[in-house]
Amino acid sequence: MPETAKAPVKRRVDDSENRALARALVEREVLSLQQAKSMLARAADEPQSTFEELLKSENHLSEDQLLETKASLWHVPFIDLKNYEIDPEVIELVPATVARQYKFFPLFRIDGTLLVAMTDPKDVKAIDKVTQLTNLEISPALSSAEALNFAIERYYGKDEEVADNHSTISVSNSEIQDILEVIEAEEKDQHYEHSTADLEKLAEEAPVVKMANMVLTRGIIEGASDIHINPEESMVRVRYRVDGVLRDGLNLPKNLQEALISRIKILSNLDIAESRIPQDGQMRLRLKDKVIEIRVSTLPSAFGENVVMRILDKSSALLRLENLGFEDDTLGLFKKMLGNAYGIILVTGPTGSGKTTTLYAALNELNTVEKNIITLEDPIEYRLPLIRQSQVNHKAGMTFSKGLRSILRQDPDIVMVGEIRDSETGNIAIQAALTGHLVVSTLHTNDAAGAITRLAEMNIEPFLISTAVLGVQAQRLVRRICPACKVETEAQIEIPPEVMDTFGFTDVSELKFYKGKGCAKCNGRGYKGRTTIIEVLPMTISIRNLVLKGASTDDVKAKAVEEGMRPILIDGWIKVLKGITTLEEIMRVTNIG
């Protein structure tokens, strides 16, 4: 009797989990509603086959699609272990026998947290075991059994004695749910308003530390540039910006808000007692042999402090111009401009278009011990060897204009100004360019020709602009098609005649287009990584004459195109026809179509 009494309970739990998985698959449009209902009914009627086995056997979805959906459902990252190089010091934290027995694999360590790949991230027994062995907080990620076994054999070697001796571990709630339950229990009897001492104590509690580390770890794993913690009326939403697009991460209960944000503020040396004014701070994490800096910004909002964390990977500062997306001819033009001893070069585009990265790559091109290079930034994003970098500090009176004046007394050969924001800074930069310095800077304009008009609007004399400016580059960042799931597709819009003429095509059938259908390596998005689409406008004699006459942006652009400048949209089409990105992506970032 006891056994028969337990059976229905187990079935209800299984049915609940199956229904949750089915619902998630339908929401992700991997499975139709009718297919989901059919598979659930069969799983209930056929005890010998599980719901997941039926899904795979009926070819409704691949294992990667299933794992991606489960990871999203359980709020953990999905990781393909075959793409990771693991630090040997991390491997030594976990004995081979334990890794094989409990089916987990250590990936990397951040402060007091160890990220481990598991076939079952809800396996509390396994997590407890590795916690005891390492004395670290454990943050789980989901991996396929095949990839996990591959990693274990690769890094630990084969062990025939235990290869077929894996114990069966019972399954319970996910780790994230456990953390939330602990937090809720701790805060149940507390008032919503906490004192500073309460917040400090709460922020140091193990569950809060674990949750904060999990939020940060997931962002780093997914290659996010920004992590957003957005308080709402009844919950806290965590979002990640990956390849320029925000996507949902975690939805956390409201009573976790103050503890989580206080933890982030402590890590970035911010005042946890002050929530009425914006604050800016920074934290530093070590990941294997890389140091990752995270810039933190808080802003009071209707439902609490909004937090945005910018992840700064130092390896991005070592980029070369050749890796940014230049076509050969535009790269040659840009390098020719950099070869001048004096003058000003401008990089333009909207916020988030990669302008600062291009400036860093340009400085890497110019950086030698024979040149004194000084920068003025707001803020300094990456540290560069041999280069003197200074930062704007408005509270102390260190503005772009005052800082630039001081820099010019430091005998520089090359000056990088993070952005020309006002007339005073613009005039000083132009004067510096005319007095024997090479100046590189950025402007917020939509295209290269617009930079000329923007300088004129800053009350800079046309003759100074025409003499000092060497050229302008405009750019946008576009997402790359994931190479692992790239397939040929058809164009969804009518091809403009000028595009056909530019590339010498007579029939649309001659053009080939591609897209990513979505896979584990790109998290089902079809895109992985980004590249740049670019237009370069050199200051030729005819362009100088137009500037002196006060010509409009359209006139300057028309003359530049006549002289061979390839507009940014056409450069985008080149990337599309090469199969680097999609037509939809080009339309999105250029606001055309």
Side-chain angles (χ1 to χ4, degrees), residues 10-36:
K10 183 178 187 302
R11 170 54 61 188
R12 284 197 298 270
V13 171
D14 289 344
D15 286 346
S16 174
E17 292 178 353
N18 287 343
R19 285 195 301 273
L21 178 57
R23 190 180 306 112
L25 290 168
V26 172
E27 288 175 354
R28 290 167 70 94
E29 299 181 352
V30 176
L31 205 64
S32 72
L33 182 58
Q34 186 57 44
Q35 288 172 327

Side-chain angles (χ1 to χ4, degrees), residues 1-295:
M1 285 298 296
E3 291 182 5
T4 57
K6 290 180 180 178
V9 175
K10 183 178 187 302
R11 170 54 61 188
R12 284 197 298 270
V13 171
D14 289 344
D15 286 346
S16 174
E17 292 178 353
N18 287 343
R19 285 195 301 273
L21 178 57
R23 190 180 306 112
L25 290 168
V26 172
E27 288 175 354
R28 290 167 70 94
E29 299 181 352
V30 176
L31 205 64
S32 72
L33 182 58
Q34 186 57 44
Q35 288 172 327
K37 288 180 177 179
S38 174
M39 292 295 105
L40 285 171
R42 287 185 57 186
D45 294 337
E46 302 173 14
Q48 70 276 14
S49 299
T50 67
F51 177 57
E52 293 181 17
E53 287 170 347
L54 288 171
L55 285 169
K56 288 188 283 188
S57 66
E58 297 292 330
N59 295 321
H60 286 299
L61 73 167
S62 66
E63 184 179 25
D64 281 350
Q65 287 175 312
L66 179 61
L67 291 173
E68 290 167 22
T69 305
K70 290 170 72 174
S72 176
L73 188 63
W74 295 339
H75 302 296
V76 298
F78 170 58
I79 290 177
D80 185 352
L81 284 172
K82 293 179 182 179
N83 294 331
Y84 276 76
E85 290 294 329
I86 311 299
D87 187 343
E89 292 183 4
V90 175
I91 297 295
E92 292 173 3
L93 293 172
V94 179
T97 53
V98 176
R100 290 191 176 96
Q101 180 181 358
Y102 290 97
K103 285 286 188 179
F104 61 71
F105 185 82
L107 289 172
F108 58 78
R109 176 180 177 176
I110 298 179
D111 292 338
T113 298
L114 179 67
L115 180 77
V116 297
M118 306 177 68
T119 56
D120 182 5
K122 300 184 296 178
D123 190 339
V124 174
K125 186 175 179 180
I127 291 171
D128 286 345
K129 181 67 176 178
V130 75
T131 299
Q132 293 170 5
L133 282 170
T134 62
N135 199 30
L136 296 169
E137 296 290 342
I138 303 304
S139 180
L142 179 64
S143 177
S144 70
E146 179 187 359
L148 191 137
N149 289 333
F150 172 86
I152 289 175
E153 286 191 3
R154 177 183 178 187
Y155 288 94
Y156 288 111
K158 294 184 178 181
D159 189 334
E160 300 299 334
E161 293 182 9
V162 298
D164 298 317
N165 191 30
H166 302 302
S167 58
T168 302
I169 311 297
S170 60
V171 175
S172 66
N173 292 331
S174 69
E175 184 182 38
I176 291 182
Q177 186 59 44
D178 291 339
I179 294 172
L180 298 182
E181 288 173 359
V182 172
I183 294 293
E184 288 167 1
E186 288 178 350
E187 295 192 335
K188 189 191 309 182
D189 298 324
Q190 295 185 18
H191 296 293
Y192 185 75
E193 295 294 335
H194 297 282
S195 68
T196 302
D198 288 337
L199 288 173
E200 288 178 349
K201 181 180 178 182
L202 195 57
E204 297 296 339
E205 293 288 337
V208 177
V209 171
K210 183 180 289 188
M211 179 57 74
N213 287 343
M214 190 176 296
V215 167
L216 294 168
T217 300
R218 180 167 177 177
I220 294 168
I221 291 172
E222 294 193 2
S225 60
D226 301 87
I227 302 172
H228 291 238
I229 300 177
N230 307 136
E232 297 185 3
E233 187 172 9
S234 59
M235 68 173 182
V236 181
R237 188 186 300 274
V238 179
R239 297 188 292 170
Y240 298 94
R241 187 177 295 278
V242 180
D243 293 336
V245 178
L246 271 175
R247 60 181 64 165
D248 272 330
L250 303 168
N251 292 334
L252 307 177
K254 187 69 175 178
N255 62 349
L256 181 58
Q257 177 176 314
E258 287 195 57
L260 176 61
I261 292 175
S262 293
R263 177 64 185 168
I264 297 298
K265 291 169 79 172
I266 286 173
L267 290 173
S268 47
N269 296 314
L270 299 179
D271 184 356
I272 66 171
E274 182 56 76
S275 60
R276 298 165 299 174
I277 60 173
Q279 296 188 68
D280 295 303
Q282 194 160 330
M283 68 176 81
R284 179 176 293 189
L285 303 175
R286 182 171 293 277
L287 175 60
K288 291 172 56 176
D289 57 344
K290 292 197 302 183
V291 173
I292 295 176
E293 292 186 353
I294 300 179
R295 197 168 69 231

